[in-house]
Amino acid sequence: MALRTDVELDVLEGARNLVRYVDIKAGQEVLIHIEPQDDYPEVNSALQQAVEEVGAKVTVMRTRHWNKTTEPPPPAFEKAIEGCDVLIGQGEYLHTKNHYIQVALFERGLTYINNEAK
């Protein structure tokens, strides 16, 4: 295993802080959603590692960009959020008044956080 730089260690510690803040627990299904304009491999990798460290199951999904207020999400994304407990957005903030995200948040209890530290 290669030695990590101070920056990589700082990014990993930031990812661990996010996991603690969201209170991600072992066994939860966590979806990390990435859009092309916010695909930062070192941040995404650290976030995935931090989620796995607590025993949660992580899935990373990359989608095309869409207008969050006027366009529907990609159908695969809409289906993916039906199967997760925690959604970490690595893209543009989801418009939480859209039906698909309201159902996930208020009927299923989805925890959603948009990671601003990217």
Side-chain angles (χ1 to χ4, degrees):
M1 180 161 109
L3 295 175
R4 293 184 180 239
T5 66
D6 287 345
V7 171
E8 289 171 323
L9 291 172
D10 286 347
V11 171
L12 180 57
E13 189 53 35
R16 287 174 177 151
N17 285 339
L18 185 143
V19 167
R20 283 189 293 271
Y21 173 76
V22 178
D23 196 26
I24 295 173
K25 295 183 176 14
Q28 285 187 308
E29 292 287 342
V30 177
L31 177 64
I32 299 172
H33 173 241
I34 303 167
E35 291 185 87
Q37 76 277 10
D38 292 303
D39 194 356
Y40 301 100
E42 52 285 329
V43 174
N44 299 329
S45 176
L47 190 52
Q48 185 172 348
Q49 179 180 334
V51 169
E52 290 171 343
E53 285 176 356
V54 298
K57 300 168 192 158
V58 65
T59 300
V60 177
M61 179 180 219
R62 288 173 172 78
T63 66
R64 69 181 184 280
H65 176 74
W66 77 93
N67 184 310
K68 306 303 183 289
T69 56
T70 62
E71 297 175 354
F77 175 75
E78 193 169 357
K79 289 292 184 189
I81 65 170
E82 290 176 11
C84 67
D85 301 303
V86 178
L87 170 61
I88 300 172
Q90 290 288 95
E92 204 172 68
Y93 180 76
L94 295 175
H95 189 63
T96 55
K97 292 188 181 198
N98 286 332
H99 180 71
Y100 71 95
I101 196 76
Q102 287 215 334
V103 168
L105 291 168
F106 301 116
E107 292 181 18
R108 288 192 28 277
L110 175 76
T111 298
Y112 166 57
I113 187 160
N114 188 55
N115 183 14
E116 298 284 330
K118 45 188 180 292

